Structure formats: C-alpha cells, structure tokens
Amino acid sequence: MIALEGIVKRFGALTALDGVDLTVERGTVHAVVGENGAGKTTLMGVLGGIVAADAGTVSLDGEPVRIASVEDAYAHGIGMVHQHFRLFRRLTVAENVVMGREPRRRGGYDHAAAEALVDELGRAHGLRVDPRARVGELSVGDQQRVELLRALHRAADVLILDEPTAVLTPQEAEGLFGVMRELAGQGRTVLFISHKLREVLTVSDTVTVLRRGSVTGVRRASETDERELAGLMVGRAIESAYQAPDTPAGEPVLRLEALTARGLKPLDLEVSAGEIVGVAGVAGNGQTELAEAIAGLRPREGGTLTIAGRALSDATVAQRREAGLAHIPEDRYARGLAREATIAENLLMGTHRRRFRLDRRAMNARARELVEAFDVRAGDVGDRAATLSGGNAQKLVIARELAGEPAVVLACQPTRGVDIGAAEFVHAQLRAARDRGAGVLLISADLDELLALADRIVVLYEGALVGESRDEAELGLLMAGAHA
Ligand SMILES: Nc1ncnc2c1ncn2[C@@H]1O[C@H](COP(=O)(O)OP(=O)(O)O)[C@@H](O)[C@H]1O
Ligand SMILES: [Mg+2]
C-alpha cells in the first residue's frame, strides 16, 4: 500500500493541498481526478520527490518514508511521467531511457547493450519504440512511451502518469490504457491523473477526487459514474440545460453587412442586445477568420461592420474596444494573455492607455476584486499569468473582457480545453452578460455548448453563413454542407 496522510502544501497565500489523504493499493490503477488547479500535480509531486510538503507523511507498505528528491522516489520504486515531457530531443530513444543509468563496457557507454535493454523492456511491457530513433523525430505517443520506458528502466514499481492522454490521439490513448492495465496485472501500481471522467472510468479500479486541495470522495470505478464524479469535482450538480432569456432581445449591437475578408464570403449577420448568437461549424470553415474580421485583426475586403451603432469597418482593434467590443480569443495564450506579465497587469491590459500614470496599488486592488469576482484561483495578483492552470487562465481573460460591461462580446471557443467546473462558470458569465443586455456572438466547435447557451445558432460552412437552426440534426446537416 501507498499511503499519503495529511499532506499540506502552500504556495505563498495559496493552499494547494489542505490535508490530503490518499491510499493506493498495489497492483491497481488508481485515478486522481479534479478540475484544473485542484492540486493533482502538486500531490503527485509530493510522492514523486518533486514537491516538498509542508506537513503530512508518506508511507509505503506501512513504513514511513522520506522522499526529498526524484532520486529518493526512484530508490523507493516510484517514477513520474510528467505532463510536459522531459526528454532530450536530439538523443536516441535508448540514450534517453538509460540516461544516468547507462550500461557500460570498457569504461564507456555501451550502445548495443542499451539498445538491447530498451528492446527487451519494450517487449515486456507492450511499449515498442525503435531504440535508435531520435526522440525529436517521434510522434508524441511514442515520446510518451519513451518516458514510460525510462521510468520502468529505473525500476519503478509505482508509475505516476500526469494527464498522459492530453497530448494523445484517441487511438494512442487506447493503447496507453492497455499498457496501464497490463502493468497493474504484473503487480505494478499506476497513478493516473486526469480530468476526463470517461477515460478514468474505463481504465481505473479506484478514483480519488480532489477539489481545491481537499479530497471530496473516493470511489470504486465500478460503483460510480461520470455524473457523480463531476459533482464531486465541482461540489454541486452540473447545470447544462438551455435557459432562455427573461426579456426579448433589443436593438442590434453588432451588424455585419456583406462583410468580407480573406477566407470569408460576404456575410450578413446581426446580434442584438440581450441575445446570444451561436456560430456552429466544423473547425476550419472560417471561424477564426470571422472572429479576426470582427475583432479588427484581419483587414476587411468589402462590406461594413457596425458595433453599438458606430460604423467601424476599418477601425483599429483599440477603436473597436473603445466602442464596446470585448474579445475572448480562441487561443488564450497566444492572444488572450501575456504569460510573463503579472495577473494584475493582464487584467489592466487594453485599458492601460487611458491612464496617465500607473497606480500600482490601485491596479492590484482592482485585480484582487476581479480575481475574487471571477473565481480565478491564483496565488497572488503579482504572480505571472504563466502560473495559472488552463481554466484559471481562461477565467482571467473573461474577467478582463467582461469587467467593463461591454456592449458586444465576441467569445471564441471559450471553454476549449478547460474542465467542467470552469466551463460551467464561463457559461454562467456569458449568460449573465446577455441578461444585462450585451449581445454575445459565441463561436464554438462544441455543438452541446451552443445548444446549451445560444438563443439562435447560425452555421458557417466554407466561409459562408449557410443557415440558422436550433435543431441538432438540422445543424449537423448544415455543418456538413447539406444546404446545397
Ligand atoms: N510552483 C507553484 N507556485 C505557485 N503556485 C503553484 C505552483 N504549482 C502549483 N501552484 C498552484 O497550486 C494549485 C494546484 O496546482 P496543480 O497541482 O498544478 O493543480 P492540477 O494539477 O490539479 O491542475 C493551483 O492553484 C496552482 O496555480
Ligand atoms: Mg496538473
């Protein structure tokens, strides 16, 4: 048995782990699930010798142990495969696997022995990779196999896999699940970190749920379901049904008349105050181009654009924002945030030019209010935005964009890659923006999201708007180009 008891970890003012108990039986696949920021990686870091806990104990088979480094962890048979690979891309598979524990011959590195060893390990565990291939030339699925082989070579009995499927195709993920089951069958223990409940239920024996640094439940996978786990993750029942607005839509606040840009056919579209208009479509049918044309990031080739009654066809991004346009971009890291700037600075961006001089104290105070109001789980507003998890990074973007009560909200893939709790929060914020009278244009590849949120749904197909519906089957046909 592997037992962590009363684990506490603080990062400054933030308590990432608040007295966590985790008990794992050997020879099983044990999942640790939770929203982004729940503390999963930190908890695994404690077991893997990467994070020094402030309190609590780790014991293996009843004996308390001290794991102060990755080497200590390996000495106890514990190996961690990270969310972000730590491989040397220019070295071969074999060199990466044996690094630090190289077979030697006549005082030098024994290539042949290393390659044979990797071959044998791969065969034994169903993890076949060419030992001579350069890691940088491998697919991510293969790179992950190399990470696993490396941990196995260090004699890991306990394998920690931190969100291993995030980078895999569904087929690669299936393959990995097979390997995990096989390892457990050989008596090894697999700790599987994920927030994808469907796959957690497929592959694990037991599930421990974390929420905000505390355990909210431990379940046998055979005795629970996605709904229950989701509830434990976010602490309440999940609401995803469509909620119509209380008041009818008002005047148009966003109007496109025959607007064209590179990649787009002439588009006519109106979004009124107090409504959410969804844009459905298979990815790559002009969604990015449409968003850029509205936001001012892609030059107009024809037609007109009106925001809150002002003709802004060729206006700059700043002028559009002044007129009341908020933009939640699809790539939050490339466009939504400056990762190296602080949380407070990110919250100010876009309005900072209106100020004569930065009052840091006021900026931080305001940032703290927004972080609180938009439930951004962060340490301190002076921390870099890069320290935020995906869901919290998205909440930060949303906090900045919605705080000024914009007339028009352009929301692009607003919940892509964020977990259930954060997605639900984002949805509630968009509904609230609508209910206070904003016009929301929601561009999403997720039809469930559109059906849950949008009052009207139009379909983008090959750069043209080809129809409108709220019927799932009809939308599917339009998305496939059936209007023609
Ligand atoms: N090195 C660090 N410095 C400051 N805060 C951190 C650090 N690592 C994690 N955190 C914070 O601790 C919390 C838990 O993070 P993490 O364990 O990565 O969550 P998860 O893996 O469940 O998404 C988050 O709020 C995160 O921002
Ligand atoms: Mg993590």
Side-chain angles (χ1 to χ4, degrees):
M1 291 251 270
I2 298 146
L4 283 78
E5 282 176 282
I7 303 292
V8 175
K9 178 66 193 178
R10 294 189 196 87
F11 293 109
L14 178 101
T15 304
L17 297 173
D18 192 8
V20 171
D21 295 336
L22 174 71
T23 309
V24 181
E25 276 173 64
R26 289 203 185 260
T28 65
V29 177
H30 192 114
V32 176
V33 305
E35 297 185 73
N36 281 324
K40 305 180 294 292
T41 297
T42 307
L43 183 64
M44 291 304 111
V46 170
L47 187 58
I50 293 154
V51 172
D54 297 318
T57 57
V58 178
S59 46
L60 301 175
D61 308 307
E63 294 294 319
V65 293
R66 193 170 158 275
I67 302 177
S69 68
V70 175
E71 284 307 315
D72 282 357
Y74 275 126
H76 290 292
I78 299 166
M80 186 156 173
V81 173
H82 293 272
Q83 213 164 342
H84 307 288
F85 300 151
R86 300 185 171 185
L87 297 171
F88 295 92
R89 300 176 58 82
R90 297 177 66 178
L91 299 184
T92 67
V93 170
E95 287 161 352
N96 268 282
V97 170
V98 302
M99 180 163 297
R101 285 174 171 64
E102 298 91 350
R104 300 202 155 261
R105 189 160 164 264
R106 293 202 201 120
Y109 169 57
D110 188 344
H111 277 278
E115 282 161 19
L117 187 149
V118 169
D119 223 29
E120 193 174 318
L121 261 183
R123 219 179 300 253
H125 300 291
L127 291 162
R128 302 299 297 274
V129 199
D130 175 5
R132 291 186 201 176
R134 301 229 168 255
V135 161
E137 287 156 14
L138 298 178
S139 69
V140 270
D142 280 345
Q143 290 187 28
Q144 190 164 57
R145 286 198 188 101
V146 178
E147 284 268 10
L148 272 164
L149 287 170
R150 191 151 82 137
L152 288 165
H153 176 58
R154 281 156 179 70
D157 262 342
V158 179
L159 281 155
I160 303 169
L161 305 182
D162 194 359
E163 309 239 7
T165 59
V167 292
L168 300 185
T169 65
Q171 291 79 358
E172 287 174 326
E174 278 303 315
L176 178 67
F177 297 154
V179 171
M180 286 161 64
R181 295 295 339 162
E182 195 170 313
L183 290 167
Q186 297 163 353
R188 290 191 160 84
T189 310
V190 180
L191 275 148
F192 172 47
I193 313 312
S194 181
H195 59 256
K196 297 182 191 164
L197 299 178
R198 199 181 313 219
E199 54 182 45
V200 159
L201 289 170
T202 326
V203 72
S204 29
D205 299 295
T206 312
V207 187
T208 293
V209 187
L210 279 183
R211 173 156 53 91
R212 294 192 183 214
S214 297
V215 173
T216 53
V218 181
R219 297 284 185 279
R220 299 227 135 250
S222 56
E223 291 164 9
T224 186
D225 55 24
E226 281 184 53
R227 207 187 149 77
E228 185 189 26
L229 293 177
L232 290 168
M233 271 166 64
V234 300
R236 66 200 135 72
I238 296 296
E239 185 51 72
S240 62
Y242 172 67
Q243 294 159 31
D246 295 333
T247 48
E251 294 292 303
V253 287
L254 175 68
R255 185 184 278 148
L256 280 60
E257 285 169 304
L259 185 77
T260 56
R262 191 164 45 79
L264 294 174
K265 310 218 167 91
L267 303 180
D268 290 294
L269 180 67
E270 262 185 17
V271 180
S272 297
E275 75 168 344
I276 300 178
V277 176
V279 178
V282 175
N285 275 282
Q287 288 89 337
T288 305
E289 291 81 357
L290 172 62
E292 289 181 355
I294 294 172
L297 294 162
R298 177 170 290 248
R300 171 186 72 120
E301 289 180 349
T304 60
L305 176 82
T306 314
I307 295 170
R310 289 167 61 183
L312 293 170
S313 304
D314 297 310
T316 63
V317 172
Q319 286 165 336
R320 290 171 206 227
R321 293 180 72 87
E322 287 276 312
L325 176 70
H327 180 201
I328 301 164
E330 63 177 19
D331 186 337
R332 71 193 66 119
Y333 292 115
R335 281 214 163 120
L337 288 175
R339 289 166 69 99
E340 298 308 314
T342 67
I343 291 169
E345 287 162 352
N346 270 285
L347 285 168
L348 186 73
M349 280 172 197
T351 55
H352 60 285
R353 283 194 205 83
R354 291 180 207 158
R355 290 171 174 77
F356 176 62
R357 183 176 67 77
L358 277 188
D359 175 348
R360 292 235 158 228
R361 187 180 298 180
M363 173 177 91
N364 287 336
R366 173 70 176 145
R368 275 189 283 272
E369 279 171 32
L370 288 175
V371 160
E372 170 92 29
F374 286 84
D375 194 34
V376 183
R377 316 243 169 99
D380 185 87
V381 296
D383 290 349
R384 289 153 58 238
T387 62
L388 294 171
S389 64
N392 284 309
Q394 184 67 335
K395 286 182 189 174
L396 183 69
V397 173
I398 288 179
R400 180 187 62 224
E401 295 302 307
L402 299 188
E405 306 215 334
V408 179
V409 179
L410 171 61
C412 308
Q413 319 292 354
T415 61
R416 181 152 74 192
V418 313
D419 52 44
I420 314 166
E424 199 193 20
F425 183 85
V426 169
H427 287 177
Q429 291 299 324
L430 292 175
R431 278 197 195 100
R434 170 195 71 185
D435 292 343
R436 63 150 183 80
V440 179
L441 187 66
L442 170 65
I443 302 179
S444 176
D446 179 349
L447 203 48
D448 289 340
E449 171 166 79
L450 291 168
L451 289 165
L453 275 184
D455 307 306
R456 297 195 290 124
I457 302 175
V458 296
V459 178
L460 199 55
Y461 178 78
E462 295 192 342
L465 289 170
V466 293
E468 180 178 335
S469 175
R470 263 196 58 88
D471 176 77
E472 198 172 342
E474 198 176 334
L475 286 167
L477 287 172
L478 287 168
M479 285 163 68
H483 63 286

